[in-house]
Amino acid sequence: LIGRLMFELPEEMGLIAIAVRQTQGKGRGGNVWLSPVGCALSTLHIAIPLHSNLGQRIPFIQHLVSLAVVESVRSIPGYEDIDLRVKWPNDIYYSDLMKLGGVLVNSTLIETTFHILIGFGFNVNNSNPTICINDLIIKFNKEEGTKLKALTADCLIARTVTVLERLIDVFQEKGPNGVLPRYYKYWIHSGKQVRLHNEEGPIAWIVGIDDYGFLQVHEEGKGVESVHPDGNSFDMLRNLIVPK
């Protein structure tokens, strides 16, 4: 429905679809997601000019959305230390332990405008099958003696879209360097090791993200290179390949 509507509306008009329960959600590589009540589930349409900072770096959108989800919680006074983080390229994590959300971006270029459909979903109030944001808040309250209130999916969807809008504005004005310090503040990869090419391949250390949203790694004796997933691995960081 939203895919059909997005070409009919004026560019300045926002469009979002929100679901309470999802039975045929799509993930990377054709994965199907079943999402119970208690998740924040939505598809957002945005238009990005091709000849803009973000239009020239479309892969960055998934990073901005992941950051917006994390900041939707951690920008609330009192909630700054809830251990919600981003995992490259498109996951939301509890610490570096457990996934509780993800982002999927589809783009269509019509003349000089990218029409972007952003699907994002994250666990807010459903403890099973993994963990949710309100579980993290309960855990934090017990450990710190605080009385932070539980959050709702509606509130966090609204906050995510608001934060995303601001992040896009900053990116369009300042480029990647305008948002990367905020992204690195919450990401789980600093100094972590990965293997290149295959599970017996050379070891490299994660450095950061390049100007186009690809991962940068440092392989001993070879300097810093940009890499991307091999496309076959369930774990996106398992086997990384160097583009030719």
Side-chain angles (χ1 to χ4, degrees):
L1 178 62
I2 201 168
R4 293 198 302 272
L5 279 174
M6 68 181 185
F7 299 118
E8 307 298 328
L9 297 176
E11 275 189 27
E12 64 275 10
M13 183 176 287
L15 185 64
I16 190 169
I18 297 172
V20 174
R21 182 189 285 112
Q22 185 175 243
T23 58
Q24 295 179 2
K26 293 178 181 177
R28 291 183 76 105
N31 289 328
V32 177
W33 293 94
L34 302 176
S35 305
V37 172
C39 298
L41 306 166
S42 63
T43 299
L44 172 69
H45 169 254
I46 59 172
I48 301 291
L50 169 62
H51 302 295
S52 67
N53 269 329
L54 191 51
Q56 295 296 301
R57 299 168 177 85
I58 286 297
F60 250 99
I61 289 176
Q62 60 190 334
H63 309 323
L64 297 185
V65 180
S66 300
L67 175 59
V69 170
V70 170
E71 287 199 343
S72 75
V73 175
R74 298 189 68 166
S75 63
I76 303 173
Y79 293 75
E80 297 93 343
D81 293 324
I82 301 298
D83 201 4
L84 204 59
R85 297 188 175 272
V86 292
K87 179 187 176 194
W88 182 90
N90 65 334
D91 288 336
I92 295 100
Y93 258 60
Y94 156 49
S95 184
D96 60 353
L97 300 173
M98 199 176 297
K99 178 176 175 176
L100 52 68
V103 176
L104 190 68
V105 175
N106 288 304
S107 61
T108 305
L109 181 62
I110 304 291
E111 296 179 348
T112 59
T113 300
F114 276 110
H115 290 268
I116 314 289
L117 284 182
I118 301 166
F120 62 91
F122 52 97
N123 299 335
V124 179
N125 196 36
N126 50 317
S127 299
N128 293 313
T130 55
I131 197 169
C132 66
I133 288 169
N134 283 338
D135 287 343
L136 302 187
I137 293 170
I138 291 168
K139 180 174 181 288
F140 185 82
N141 283 338
K142 283 181 181 175
E143 292 173 353
E144 302 296 327
T146 49
K147 295 183 179 178
L148 299 178
K149 293 181 179 178
L151 300 172
T152 65
D154 289 352
C155 166
L156 292 182
I157 290 171
R159 289 184 64 86
T160 296
V161 173
T162 301
V163 173
L164 177 62
E165 196 167 40
R166 292 172 184 161
L167 286 171
I168 289 172
D169 287 345
V170 171
F171 196 102
Q172 294 291 41
E173 183 185 343
K174 300 180 179 178
N177 290 336
V179 299
L180 279 177
R182 289 163 69 173
Y183 185 81
Y184 291 144
K185 181 179 176 184
Y186 298 121
W187 88 328
I188 65 175
H189 303 297
S190 295
K192 294 281 179 71
Q193 288 184 358
V194 292
R195 290 206 179 258
L196 302 182
H197 312 301
N198 56 60
E199 291 180 27
E200 283 77 45
I203 290 175
W205 286 265
I206 295 176
V207 175
I209 295 177
D210 70 11
D211 265 2
Y212 294 92
F214 292 123
L215 207 61
Q216 289 181 308
V217 300
H218 181 264
E219 185 185 346
E220 201 166 341
K222 289 201 174 179
V224 175
E225 296 179 296
S226 293
V227 298
H228 58 71
D230 66 3
N232 299 313
S233 175
F234 180 75
D235 182 346
M236 299 300 290
L237 294 178
R238 199 169 183 184
N239 302 327
L240 293 162
I241 56 176
V242 181
K244 288 189 168 59

